[in-house]
Amino acid sequence: MTLDRSFRLYNSLTRTKEDFVPLEIGHARIYACGPTVYSYAHIGNARMAVVFDVLARVLRVLYPKVTYASNITDIEDKIIAASQETGQSPEQITRKFERIYNEDMAALGVALPDIQPRATETIPEMIKLMEQLIERGHAYVAEGHVLFHVPSFPEYGGLSGRSRDDQIAGARVDVAPYKRDPADFVLWKPSTPEQPGWDSPWGRGRPGWHIECSAMSEKFLGLPIDIHGGGADLKFPHHENEIAQSCCAHGHHDLAAFSRYWMHNGFLTVEGEKMSKSLGNFILAHDLIEQGIKGEVIRYVLLSAHYRQPLDWSEGAVEQAQKSLDKFYRILDELKDVADISVPVPDGVMEALCDDLNTPKAYAELNVLAKAAHEQKTPEAKAALVAAGHLMGFLNENPAIWLAANTSGVDAAWVEGLLNERTEARAAKNFARSDEIRDELAAKGVVIEDTPQGPKWKVA
Ligand code: AMP
Ligand code: ZN
């Protein structure tokens, strides 16, 4: 496949928009810092998952091979605290919330990353990295801990642009007496017999959060990778520390020796404040889905602002997204008898997305395509709208089902499932079951009309 379009990406490391060129010809390697799985993901977490999903989708159009890794942090103090509170083992908790995270993200149209490594399955690689850091004089052992010595890496702070004073003030850790420098951070810490732990040259313990991503990224994607990212809150200290660990373990001073491009999504906010568990202003993706808000609608809101801009969550934004998608589905429903053909993603949409994932511009293009499909009613115009929608993760539902579900508040997929069962029951002359289904649907106000094309339904 020839590349006739370049992808431009704002690189947080150089603070400029650059032409993206993968290191390995035809293969883009991406790593995004994934969730700590001790409870449900909020929609701020979901914004990150959706943004990187779109990045991977666009790069897959441009390059023959994309490897997208996003980790699961399944060892962390919050997990241990949740285990103490609930009496469940850390593994029970993390496996449960990993599954729920993947289900919730799937509902938002997020494809599973190609690789989803778990921190607990990468411990030997973390130990090796720490040994390399100690050997090169960048880390030291103190009271069962292994610490990274920040002054040993003069380039430290280059990603976030923080001064040394800011670094110390911003470090999310108490200054423990065993630290040689207040900015030093923990790579490994001892575990009590009740806490989860692994044997290491420094005794039984567990890794700090930062070393996990350095080890997982290198193990699964090599060194350097093309794009590393996550939410803007991770720039400091998490990503700064990842860079320090991965560069120093291999004797590099060039900050791009770990990842060549850095990408950070802006915060999802509520009334201007960052959505976070600690502030208590969070909305769970899981709850919205359970309330019957469609995954595509949530996704549409999450991509409605450019990924680097803040995005304020509001009911109005949800209503607006619903209206926009309804309009597209209505047009597709009108065109249900127009043949389905396959066309490449239209240039306007591709150009917008290749310009640092400009989703607001892509939405404007989607509206142009919708208008054209409505007016022209041709297979080409219909297919262009569908191809553009699919690339961004929209218009995956049957238009009739989408529209029916909206007007009635009844779950259309549930109705369709029962109607299929009823058709089968009637074919098998099981009229008792067929009547039972009719009654079950009637109880929800669903009226069935049998037509030569099969049963039709509406809410009375
Ligand atoms: P956490 O589970 O808190 O480590 O977060 C998982 C991912 O979600 C990280 O990449 C965070 O940067 C991102 N994230 C957390 N809160 C927000 C928010 N309010 N807006 C956007 N991204 C967020
Ligand atoms: Zn990370």
Side-chain angles (χ1 to χ4, degrees):
M1 183 174 147
T2 51
L3 201 64
D4 51 5
R5 185 179 280 114
S6 73
F7 181 70
R8 289 176 65 72
L9 181 67
Y10 180 86
N11 185 352
S12 313
L13 187 59
T14 57
R15 297 176 190 84
T16 48
K17 216 195 261 187
E18 296 175 12
D19 275 330
F20 173 73
V21 183
L23 186 66
E24 201 183 302
I25 295 170
H27 181 194
R29 288 164 301 143
I30 317 166
Y31 182 102
C33 294
T36 305
V37 282
Y38 64 100
S39 70
Y40 294 92
H42 62 64
I43 44 175
N45 304 136
R47 182 179 196 194
M48 170 260 148
V50 168
V51 164
F52 282 85
D53 179 67
V54 174
L55 172 73
R57 285 164 181 261
V58 173
L59 292 181
R60 284 185 212 284
V61 177
L62 299 175
Y63 298 99
K65 190 169 171 197
V66 171
T67 310
Y68 170 39
S70 186
N71 68 290
I72 294 286
T73 293
D74 60 349
I75 174 73
E76 223 260 336
D77 287 356
K78 287 187 208 108
I79 297 169
I80 299 176
S83 161
Q84 280 158 354
E85 268 167 38
T86 59
Q88 292 181 317
S89 71
E91 202 186 8
Q92 281 172 321
I93 294 173
T94 56
R95 290 298 161 90
K96 174 181 162 192
F97 285 108
E98 175 187 313
R99 180 181 50 75
I100 293 172
Y101 176 79
N102 283 335
E103 284 169 6
D104 289 347
M105 293 310 113
L108 306 191
V110 174
L112 259 190
D114 301 298
I115 307 171
Q116 193 175 47
R118 294 187 184 120
T120 53
E121 291 167 4
T122 321
I123 304 283
E125 288 78 4
M126 296 179 204
I127 291 177
K128 182 155 172 256
L129 267 183
M130 287 183 264
E131 286 174 333
Q132 288 167 318
L133 287 168
I134 294 171
E135 211 177 286
R136 288 183 184 269
H138 291 290
Y140 56 95
V141 183
E143 296 179 27
H145 293 70
V146 181
L147 292 121
F148 185 93
H149 190 45
V150 170
S152 76
F153 187 49
E155 293 77 8
Y156 188 87
L159 173 70
S160 59
R162 290 206 182 206
S163 69
R164 181 162 160 77
D165 285 350
D166 289 345
Q167 288 163 23
I168 296 167
R172 275 197 264 170
V173 280
D174 299 327
V175 181
Y178 47 78
K179 282 192 180 180
R180 284 190 197 158
D181 185 277
D184 293 355
F185 59 89
V186 170
L187 302 174
W188 186 261
K189 57 185 158 190
S191 291
T192 60
E194 312 77 56
Q195 290 172 331
W198 290 262
D199 289 331
S200 81
W202 318 287
R204 189 174 169 280
R206 58 189 191 279
W209 174 36
H210 316 302
I211 197 77
E212 297 178 0
C213 286
S214 280
M216 286 186 273
S217 176
E218 183 176 342
K219 177 177 178 182
F220 293 100
L221 298 175
L223 207 70
I225 65 162
D226 295 308
I227 304 174
H228 193 112
D233 54 335
L234 300 191
K235 253 192 222 172
F236 184 88
H238 185 54
H239 287 162
E240 204 72 81
N241 293 356
E242 285 184 32
I243 292 177
Q245 295 160 162
S246 296
C247 288
C248 292
H250 301 285
H252 294 298
H253 289 276
D254 170 13
L255 297 184
F258 172 43
S259 174
R260 302 163 62 242
Y261 303 82
W262 285 80
M263 177 173 157
H264 293 98
N265 62 271
F267 294 140
L268 189 92
T269 56
V270 185
E271 286 163 13
E273 247 188 327
K274 182 195 170 197
M275 178 174 289
S276 76
K277 294 245 164 82
S278 53
L279 288 174
N281 62 350
F282 58 90
I283 300 171
L284 302 179
H286 198 78
D287 287 346
L288 293 177
I289 297 160
E290 294 233 307
Q291 283 161 24
I293 300 181
K294 295 259 191 198
E296 285 193 16
V297 171
I298 303 170
R299 185 180 177 100
Y300 201 90
V301 178
L302 291 176
L303 293 174
S304 61
H306 185 263
Y307 77 88
R308 284 193 282 126
Q309 299 301 322
L311 168 62
D312 210 51
W313 186 268
S314 66
E315 275 182 26
V318 177
E319 275 167 29
Q320 199 48 50
Q322 177 82 53
K323 272 193 198 143
S324 299
L325 286 166
D326 284 354
K327 183 180 84 182
F328 300 146
Y329 275 111
R330 215 172 294 118
I331 291 168
L332 290 180
D333 194 46
E334 279 164 21
L335 301 181
K336 60 175 172 290
D337 297 327
V338 174
D340 285 311
I341 60 168
S342 176
V343 297
V345 178
D347 279 344
V349 169
M350 230 15 227
E351 259 153 41
L353 294 173
C354 285
D355 181 18
D356 194 29
L357 296 186
N358 191 341
T359 49
K361 180 125 190 286
Y363 279 12
E365 292 291 333
L366 208 53
N367 276 292
V368 172
L369 293 170
K371 189 163 181 276
H374 174 65
E375 286 169 5
Q376 296 165 14
K377 305 194 189 329
T378 59
E380 290 74 18
K382 177 185 177 187
L385 173 62
V386 171
H390 282 182
L391 175 64
M392 285 188 270
F394 303 122
L395 308 183
N396 292 305
E397 288 208 27
N398 175 319
I401 293 182
W402 175 281
L403 296 168
N406 276 348
T407 48
S408 62
V410 167
D411 182 350
W414 172 77
V415 176
E416 295 287 332
L418 279 180
L419 282 182
N420 286 340
E421 202 191 324
R422 177 174 168 271
T423 306
E424 279 166 24
R426 282 158 65 105
K429 305 220 179 312
N430 183 351
F431 297 112
R433 178 65 189 140
S434 132
D435 288 348
E436 207 174 272
I437 291 171
R438 178 180 283 268
D439 293 346
E440 200 176 326
L441 289 169
K444 294 267 182 203
V446 177
V447 181
I448 309 168
E449 186 199 341
D450 287 303
T451 73
Q453 291 81 37
K456 293 251 176 303
W457 64 277
K458 61 176 191 222
V459 179

